[in-house]
Every structure is written in structure tokens, then in C-alpha cells.
Amino acid sequence: MKRAKITVIGAGNVGASCAFWAAAKELGDIVLIDIPDFADKTAGKALDLAQCGPVERFDCKITGTADYEHAAGSDVVIITAGIPRKPGMSRDDLIQTNVKIVKSVTQQIAKVAPQSVLIVVSNPLDAMVYTAWKTSDFPTNRVVGQAGCLDIARFRTFIAMELGCSVADISALLMGGHGDDMVPLPRYTSVAGIPVTQLIAKDKLDAIIQRAKVGGGEIVKLMGTSAYYAPAAGSVAMAEAIIKDKKRILPCAAYCDSEYGVGGYFVGVPCVLGAGGVEKVIEVELEGDERKMLDSSVAHVKELVGVADGFMKG
Ligand code: APR
């Protein structure tokens, strides 16, 4: 069987961690790309990672380079290039710089890997997925953003901490943009099938929801830069679903037109991920407040995309 090929653009904290998780899962051959100034550093990271192979027993060819030709024929491309947040910054503060970076890397990758599925991780996420889609001109099913897998992982982690139970038994849903106005949905969250609302009192659950919403900021404050292990794990879970055609249902930033009445933007929704990329957006029923929160999160995404559009043209 032919090995899959995964390219990760941006070999910084998130990118290198993506390569690490992909290698550990033996998903396929991995190409790590960064700017020419960091070509040696990127080659070094790839070599270091390759030398984990004998210990962890994975057989993946890992290349670190600044040359996009190495990415030719990739099945999945994870875009992490861009600047991360520093303390006091919101994800939105990154937009001007990251639009230019995401546009430039997408132009280059679209030439060498025109059949790939793009998974965008750079922030502000929803506007960066839109930038990658507009630039690549790929069909909407082959451009998707990683945010929900991370946001939901945070939500599940905090629920497990509160209950003292296994994270594996928690199933949760969260929608909207990857900002502090994301929409966790306790009504669609359960622990081994038991609605979470029966296990955690409302005030405690509200506090958990709030912590999940600003979970990225909590880490920026602690580390001085944004998170990378969990964002990378979320991205590689998506890559795995696509490469193995698993048809996993994961929350992703997917293109929604009539879906949820979004009207042509990428926002966090539950999706079926398989060989075709986003194979389906699942529409769930939303009640009054849930709908209102989603609408306000989508309005924020639209505003950001408007700003990104301006920088894309500039
Ligand atoms: N082409 C390729 N790589 C680039 C380019 C470019 N044009 N511009 C920047 N990069 C690389 C940087 O050289 C750096 O190695 O992107 C990498 C980013 O790494 P970090 O600074 O460590 O940032 P990281 O924490 O990985 O976050 C990257 O992901 O989660 C988001 O908000 C986060 O937007 C940020 C992105």
C-alpha cells in the first residue's frame, strides 16, 4: 500500500508538534517546511524526529526543508505558518501578518499539491481558513480549519478534572468561531451517555465553559506564547481521519452556506471527515440561546473575514 504524505508548513512550536504526533501515529511520510532562513533548523528538527523512529518503531520518512518541491503530491497539508499570540494579544491581533503568510504559503502549496486537503491552524483561524480557500481556489470540501478539536479537548479536559473521570468517556459538542465567543453546547455533552447537566451543577458547568472559551489565553499567560501540543494533536486527529478515510465526526471550521444559515463562511460545526476532506456538515437543532450565541459568533467571523479580505487584496 502506498504511504500517505503529510506536509506541515511552519516548523515552529505547532508545526513541529504536528510532525511529532503524525510520526508517532505512523500516518505516512512527513515533510516539514519553513522559511529559507530556517532551512537548517527545519532539517535538524526533521532529523531529530526521524531518530525517534527506531525507539518508537515508526517507519516514516521525515524531511525538513524550505523547498516546496518536496511537498509534491501531498495528501494532507497542515498550515501552521504565522505568528503566535503573546500575552495581552487576542487572536485577531495577528490578522495582518498572518493573512500575508497564509496567502504566500497557500500559493506555493497549491502549485505542488493541487489534490491535497488543507488543514489550517494559523490564527485568527476562521479568517485564515477563508484566506487559504480564496487563495488556493480548492473546492470547499478540501479546505478545513482546526479549532474545534482543540476547543472541545479543553472542554472535555476540564469536565474530566471536575468529575475525576476518564477524558475518554466524555463526548462534547462546541460550535462557532475559534474566539472567546465560541459556543460550547452542554445540552450535547455527555459522560458515558449521561447528560453532563445531570452530573455537574449549573454554576460549576458555567465556570468550566468559560474556562474552555478562554483556554487559549490561560496558556498564553502561563507560557508567554500560545499552546502547541494540543493544537497539534487536534490537527493530526483530523489528518488521520482524512488519510484513513475514517468518517470521524469532529468539530471543524468548515464552509457553511445554507448550513446553519451562515451564508458562505468557514465556522466551527460538526463534520464528517474522510478521504474527501469535509464530506458532510452535520446540522443539529439549536435552541433560542444556543442559536443566538452561534449567530453572534458567526457575525464576529464575518467581520474578521472582511478585514482579512482587505489585507489579501493589499
Ligand atoms: N513560510 C513558512 N513558514 C513560515 C512563514 C512562511 N512564509 N512565515 C512564518 N513561518 C514559520 C516561522 O518561521 C515559524 O517557524 O511559522 C513558524 C511559526 O512557529 P511559532 O512562531 O513557533 O508559532 P506557533 O506557536 O507554531 O504558532 C503558529 O499556529 O496556533 C497558531 O496562533 C498560532 O498563528 C499561530 C500559528
Side-chain angles (χ1 to χ4, degrees):
M1 204 171 86
K2 187 178 157 286
R3 273 197 219 164
K5 184 168 178 180
I6 304 122
T7 288
V8 182
I9 308 182
N13 285 333
V14 179
S17 305
C18 283
F20 171 87
W21 287 118
K25 286 172 174 276
E26 206 177 39
L27 283 193
D29 291 337
I30 299 161
V31 179
L32 201 50
I33 296 183
D34 209 291
I35 53 174
D37 280 356
F38 291 163
D40 283 351
K41 200 172 170 186
T42 307
K45 286 188 186 184
L47 196 55
D48 187 11
L49 203 46
Q51 290 165 3
C52 300
V55 184
E56 290 298 319
R57 294 166 185 264
F58 57 73
D59 286 302
C60 304
K61 186 177 161 209
I62 306 172
T63 309
T65 180
D67 180 358
Y68 280 78
E69 284 304 322
H70 287 280
S74 297
D75 300 288
V76 170
V77 176
I78 305 178
I79 299 177
T80 76
I83 53 166
R85 284 200 274 175
K86 298 281 173 241
M89 288 172 95
S90 78
R91 293 183 183 92
D92 300 0
D93 295 333
L94 311 172
I95 195 162
Q96 184 167 6
T97 307
N98 284 355
V99 163
K100 286 189 191 135
I101 293 175
V102 169
K103 184 178 169 186
S104 146
V105 304
T106 305
Q107 281 167 337
Q108 297 178 78
I109 203 68
K111 281 188 209 148
V112 296
Q115 298 306 320
S116 59
V117 178
L118 304 180
I119 301 176
V120 182
V121 191
S122 313
N123 274 312
L125 190 272
D126 308 273
M128 293 306 106
V129 195
Y130 183 88
T131 302
W133 171 60
K134 274 280 176 191
T135 309
S136 64
D137 209 20
F138 281 11
T140 51
N141 60 302
R142 287 201 284 114
V143 185
V144 62
Q146 188 298 120
C149 286
L150 166 65
D151 295 331
I152 226 162
R154 287 183 172 143
F155 189 32
R156 290 169 65 199
T157 302
F158 298 144
I159 291 171
M161 284 175 176
E162 173 64 27
L163 292 174
C165 71
S166 168
V167 288
D169 290 327
I170 299 165
S171 173
L173 183 58
L174 179 149
M175 291 172 60
H178 183 47
D180 297 350
D181 53 2
M182 64 183 82
V183 187
L185 294 166
R187 209 161 58 85
Y188 288 108
T189 300
S190 61
V191 183
I194 307 159
V196 72
T197 46
Q198 289 184 23
L199 299 173
I200 302 179
K202 186 172 179 324
D203 57 334
K204 282 210 169 126
L205 196 52
D206 286 346
I208 288 172
I209 288 171
Q210 186 51 27
R211 190 173 177 196
K213 282 183 170 191
V214 297
E218 181 179 0
I219 289 179
V220 174
K221 253 190 230 154
L222 291 167
M223 300 204 304
T225 191
S226 56
Y228 40 95
Y229 296 125
S235 311
V236 171
M238 292 168 68
E240 183 177 30
I242 295 164
I243 286 165
K244 296 185 178 168
D245 193 21
K246 282 175 81 87
K247 318 285 187 202
R248 283 204 66 192
I249 299 177
L250 295 172
C252 307
Y255 185 83
C256 295
D257 195 353
S258 62
E259 295 88 351
Y260 296 97
V262 167
Y265 292 85
F266 288 81
V267 289
V269 285
C271 300
V272 178
L273 279 194
V278 177
E279 297 187 347
K280 189 177 178 200
V281 168
I282 297 176
E283 291 198 75
V284 299
E285 258 175 54
L286 295 175
E287 287 180 347
D289 272 359
E290 296 164 343
R291 181 76 238 186
K292 262 192 227 151
M293 284 191 287
L294 179 64
D295 288 345
S296 107
S297 186
V298 170
H300 183 73
V301 169
K302 288 182 181 174
E303 209 179 291
L304 267 185
V305 166
V307 177
D309 244 336
F311 290 130
M312 252 192 280
K313 286 171 196 142

